[in-house]
Amino acid sequence: MTAHTSQSVAKAAGDDVARGPSRRTDSGKRGGLKRALATHWYAWTMVTPVVLVLGVIIGWPLARGVYLSLTDANERNVGRTIGANHIEATYQFVGLDNYTAVLSDPVFLQRLVWTVTWTVACVSITFTLGLALANMLNREFKGRAAYRMALILPWAVPGFVSVFAWRFLFNRDNGILNKILEGGGISAVPWLDDPTWAKVAVIAVNVWLGVPFMMVALLGGLQSIPGELYEAAEMDGASAWQRFRHITLPGLRAVSMTVILLSTIWTFNMFPVIFLLTRGGPGDSTEILVTQAFREAFVESPRDFAGSATWGVLILLLLVIFALVYRRSLRKQGEVW
């Protein structure tokens, strides 16, 4: 009897020991959360309204868009009010039919290829020019502040004003660019009337708008690199290219990765430049994914809200996939993001 009781006590004690760490871990997690809330209550208080506002401004439209992409909603079957009469919505749930239709349409592949081409061209050119200008402005020379202000000016001007100014410059008959070419004996270039030249034009305008941001960001990164590294490398006989390759580029890696990601997302969705400069033309040669989504919802008749929402969801999915792949590649290179 005594032995049996001892075994029961030992077993119970063993069970308590086995369960002990799990209980302590769970209570520790709850206690840690309570301590975090109690210690940083002011931070949670300030963040909560922002989260709620973002949920209303972004979360609800996103959820609504995903829902519409699974229906056959258009301007003929959505709920609407005409005078005193209200017409109820009659659109129906169709599942993934819209996605099948869009992905099987050759138009999607055409828009995707040009969107990727446009994004890669704009980001690469913008980064190269921004890096070159940042290196120039990082040196001491007379009038540096004035040059910095002049190069930041395109960023300060509202985007639509800049695009309209460039549209005037690209005008085939009265544009300044063609007037200069004609003065040099060169025939006028159909900047916005020829598909190839129109693509060159929209890339040039977007690069002009994006260089200031890239330059400022990279200039800040350059100024964070210790000058002693360059002095030591110069004393060791390193050339300018070697200093740039082994000091400047590694020092700018973190900044570069961030601005390239942001620039890629912005350019991929750069609606104003395409729409205001060429309206997607001539024909549909400069249409990108986001302008196609706009055209589905606001230009074509009948307006296809479900189709536009489908294009929007596909754009979001493409950018999410790109961000995940980009993050994974950075982690492989040892960058924390």
Side-chain angles (χ1 to χ4, degrees):
M1 182 68 179
T2 304
H4 179 72
T5 305
S6 301
Q7 291 176 358
S8 300
V9 172
K11 183 178 179 181
D15 292 342
D16 291 339
V17 171
R19 290 193 298 265
S22 176
R23 290 179 177 176
R24 284 196 298 270
T25 302
D26 294 341
S27 61
K29 289 181 179 179
R30 290 194 296 269
L33 180 60
K34 290 181 179 179
R35 284 195 300 271
L37 291 174
T39 304
H40 305 291
W41 63 269
Y42 56 89
W44 291 100
T45 304
M46 297 180 69
V47 169
T48 300
V50 177
V51 173
L52 293 176
V53 171
L54 289 178
V56 173
I57 296 178
I58 298 177
W60 165 246
L62 178 60
R64 179 66 175 172
V66 173
Y67 170 71
L68 286 177
S69 71
L70 301 174
T71 68
D72 61 351
N74 58 52
E75 67 175 334
R76 295 175 178 173
N77 58 22
V78 296
R80 55 201 182 276
T81 301
I82 302 176
N85 300 318
H86 178 71
I87 302 176
E88 297 292 336
T90 58
Y91 58 83
Q92 299 177 348
F93 182 83
V94 296
L96 299 177
D97 290 353
N98 291 323
Y99 292 93
T100 303
V102 170
L103 293 175
S104 61
D105 191 344
V107 173
F108 176 78
L109 182 59
Q110 295 173 7
R111 301 290 183 269
L112 179 60
V113 170
W114 164 235
T115 303
V116 172
T117 304
W118 138 273
T119 302
V120 172
C122 289
V123 173
S124 58
I125 296 174
T126 302
F127 179 79
T128 303
L129 292 177
L131 181 58
L133 292 172
N135 273 283
M136 293 171 58
L137 294 178
N138 195 40
R139 302 174 181 178
E140 292 289 344
F141 60 90
K142 188 176 181 179
R144 183 175 65 170
Y147 281 106
R148 286 184 178 182
M149 291 299 297
L151 291 172
I152 294 175
L153 184 61
W155 199 16
V157 178
F160 72 94
V161 175
S162 299
V163 175
F164 284 143
W166 276 100
R167 187 175 178 85
F168 175 73
L169 294 175
F170 283 133
N171 186 274
R172 183 171 186 173
D173 299 323
N174 302 312
I176 296 176
L177 294 179
N178 279 340
K179 291 295 183 182
I180 295 174
L181 294 176
E182 290 176 359
I186 302 174
S187 58
V189 176
W191 296 105
L192 303 180
D193 301 322
D194 178 79
T196 302
W197 283 112
K199 291 179 179 180
V200 173
V202 293
I203 291 174
V205 173
N206 194 65
V207 168
W208 187 80
L209 291 172
V211 163
F213 164 76
M214 193 71 71
M215 179 194 68
V216 170
L218 294 176
L219 182 58
L222 285 173
Q223 293 178 346
S224 67
I225 300 176
E228 294 80 3
L229 296 178
Y230 292 100
E231 295 175 2
E234 191 172 1
M235 292 178 63
D236 290 339
S239 64
W241 167 249
Q242 290 174 328
R243 294 195 299 271
F244 176 78
R245 179 181 176 184
H246 297 290
I247 298 177
T248 302
L249 290 182
L252 289 176
R253 179 175 297 174
V255 176
S256 298
M257 295 301 101
T258 301
V259 295
I260 288 175
L261 175 63
L262 293 175
S263 183
T264 299
I265 294 174
W266 292 339
T267 305
F268 200 88
N269 288 323
M270 184 54 70
F271 174 82
V273 171
I274 299 291
F275 184 76
L276 296 178
L277 192 63
T278 65
R279 301 256 176 190
D284 59 355
S285 59
T286 58
E287 289 274 13
I288 58 176
L289 293 175
V290 67
T291 58
Q292 180 66 33
F294 175 84
R295 183 175 296 278
E296 294 275 342
F298 298 102
V299 177
E300 296 181 356
S301 182
R303 293 183 293 172
D304 187 0
F305 303 127
S308 177
T310 304
W311 283 85
V313 173
L314 289 174
I315 292 170
L316 176 62
L317 291 176
L318 288 171
L319 289 174
V320 169
I321 292 172
F322 167 76
L324 293 175
V325 173
Y326 190 81
R327 179 177 180 270
R328 185 174 181 180
S329 65
L330 290 182
R331 290 177 68 89
K332 287 183 178 180
Q333 297 175 15
E335 295 291 338
V336 179
W337 182 65

